[in-house]
Amino acid sequence: MTIDSHQHFWNYEPVKHEWIDDDMAVIRRDFSPSDLKKVYQENTIDGCVAVQADQTLAETDFLIQLANENDFIKGIVGWVDLRSNTVKTDLEKYSQFNKVKGFRHVVQGEPDHNFLLRPNFLNGISALKEFNYTYDILIFPHQLGATLEFVKKFPNQKFVIDHIAKPYIKDGFYEGWAALMKEVASYENVSCKLSGMITEADYNSWTPAQIEPYMNLVLEAFGPNRLMYGSDWPVCLVAGNYKKVKELTTNFIAKLSPAEQEKIMGLNAMEFYNL
C-alpha cells in the first residue's frame, strides 16, 4: 500500500496564509480532498496523512471533518497548544477521534531557537505518550541542536522529522545539517520524512542530482525502516508537480530491495501513525 505521509488542505485566506509569498502565488487558492483524490488516482496513491497548516484548534477540527468524509485520509496530525495548562484536556478530547494520530507545532516559525526546550512545551510533549500520539518535528537546520537535546529527553515518544529538517539545498549548505541529522538519527524513536525537498532547492532549476546527497545522508542515518515518503502537496506545486515529487523518491530508492521500498512508500507510515 502506498501512503503519502505528509500533505495539507486549506481554504485560502490571505491573512491566515500569509506565509504563502509572491514566489508561491500558484498555491494561493483552496485545496480540498476532491482535488487530491484526482491526483492520487493519477499517481497510484492509496491514502494519506493530512497535516496541520494552521495553529488553531479549529484547524484540527477541520481536518477531522475532512477525514471523516474521505476514506483515503487515513490519519491526521493536528494542532493543540502544547504549552497550555489545559493541554491534557485537549489531548483527551481528541482521543475519541480514531483518525487523530498526532500533533505538530510550526517550530520553524518560532524566533526562539530553543523553543523546543522550554518547560511549558516539554510539559505538553510529556503528555502525548499516554494517548499514543506521535509528534512531527518541523524545524530549520539552525534548530537541530535544540532538537537533539529535545529527542534525548523523550526516549519513548515517537517523533518524525518533517522535510528532512529543511536543509539549505538552494545554497548548497550541507555539512552542519548532515552532522546534526546523524546525531538525531542515532535515537531509534526518531523517524524522518522524505518530503518537502524540492521547495528547499531552487523552485525553477532544481535537479534530482542536487538533492541526492541529502537523501543519501538520511537513508544512511535513519535506514529504510525509519524513512517515509511524503509529498508536501500542495506546497510542492510551487516547484513542480506531484509526479515529479513521487519520482524523486521512487527513483532514489529503486536501488533498495522491494521490501525496503515498500516500507518507505507506505508500510513505515502505517506503522508509525498506526493507520
Side-chain angles (χ1 to χ4, degrees):
M1 184 172 269
T2 305
I3 299 290
D4 181 344
S5 72
H6 199 105
Q7 58 73 217
H8 308 284
F9 298 112
W10 60 70
N11 296 320
Y12 178 69
E13 294 173 34
V15 176
K16 186 199 280 191
H17 300 106
E18 63 183 351
W19 58 272
I20 304 177
D21 61 25
D22 290 347
D23 290 338
M24 304 170 87
V26 68
I27 58 170
R28 281 181 173 157
R29 63 175 180 86
D30 297 355
F31 287 93
S32 71
S34 57
D35 298 315
L36 188 57
K37 198 169 188 178
K38 185 171 177 290
V39 171
Y40 280 173
Q41 284 164 352
E42 291 164 1
N43 291 277
T44 347
I45 305 288
D46 299 303
C48 66
V49 176
V51 180
Q52 63 83 224
D54 190 41
Q55 311 215 93
T56 59
L57 295 177
E59 171 83 346
T60 308
D61 297 339
F62 166 68
L63 293 177
I64 289 169
Q65 184 188 339
L66 295 183
N68 287 341
E69 293 167 356
N70 296 274
D71 242 9
F72 75 90
I73 304 171
K74 304 296 183 190
I76 73 163
V77 173
W79 183 89
V80 293
D81 190 350
L82 290 161
R83 299 161 295 179
S84 163
N85 294 331
T86 64
V87 64
K88 207 142 188 196
T89 311
D90 292 332
L91 295 176
E92 198 159 5
K93 180 185 100 173
Y94 286 120
S95 68
Q96 67 185 292
F97 301 101
N98 283 342
K99 284 192 176 179
V100 179
K101 302 301 183 182
F103 294 92
R104 183 176 86 153
H105 187 91
V106 184
V107 176
Q108 69 172 35
E110 295 291 343
D112 177 2
H113 289 194
N114 294 308
F115 176 89
L116 286 169
L117 300 172
R118 300 306 174 197
N120 55 358
F121 191 75
L122 295 175
N123 179 58
I125 295 291
S126 68
L128 295 175
K129 185 78 178 74
E130 183 186 332
F131 302 97
N132 204 27
Y133 286 135
T134 61
Y135 181 75
D136 271 57
I137 302 174
L138 177 63
I139 49 163
F140 284 130
H142 71 264
Q143 295 162 315
L144 273 167
T147 301
L148 180 58
E149 292 192 39
F150 172 67
V151 299
K152 270 184 193 174
K153 291 177 186 293
F154 301 99
N156 300 311
Q157 173 59 45
K158 285 163 83 174
F159 292 116
V160 61
I161 306 270
D162 288 350
H163 313 326
I164 69 169
K166 297 197 153 193
Y168 306 119
I169 300 171
K170 186 178 177 180
D171 296 313
F173 299 156
Y174 174 84
E175 297 297 342
W177 165 84
L180 280 164
M181 281 295 271
K182 282 182 192 170
E183 289 291 325
V184 170
S186 71
Y187 293 88
E188 295 285 329
N189 57 315
V190 186
S191 295
C192 182
K193 291 184 183 180
L194 283 169
S195 62
M197 296 174 290
I198 65 172
T199 43
E200 298 310 314
D202 187 286
Y203 292 170
N204 303 308
S205 64
W206 67 271
T207 64
Q210 284 173 318
I211 299 171
E212 195 164 316
Y214 299 89
M215 298 174 83
N216 271 326
L217 184 282
V218 294
L219 177 58
E220 182 191 319
F222 290 90
N225 293 332
R226 289 190 286 144
L227 285 183
M228 53 187 97
Y229 161 71
S231 68
D232 200 24
W233 181 94
V235 182
C236 64
L237 302 179
V238 305
N241 58 42
Y242 198 97
K243 185 171 185 276
K244 283 183 183 174
V245 169
K246 186 187 174 192
E247 284 178 350
L248 178 66
T249 295
T250 53
N251 291 344
F252 173 72
I253 64 172
K255 59 192 174 191
L256 302 178
S257 72
E260 289 170 333
Q261 292 178 53
E262 277 182 37
K263 285 181 175 183
I264 291 170
M265 295 308 294
L267 297 183
N268 290 343
M270 290 175 73
E271 186 183 344
F272 181 85
Y273 286 116
N274 190 28
L275 302 183

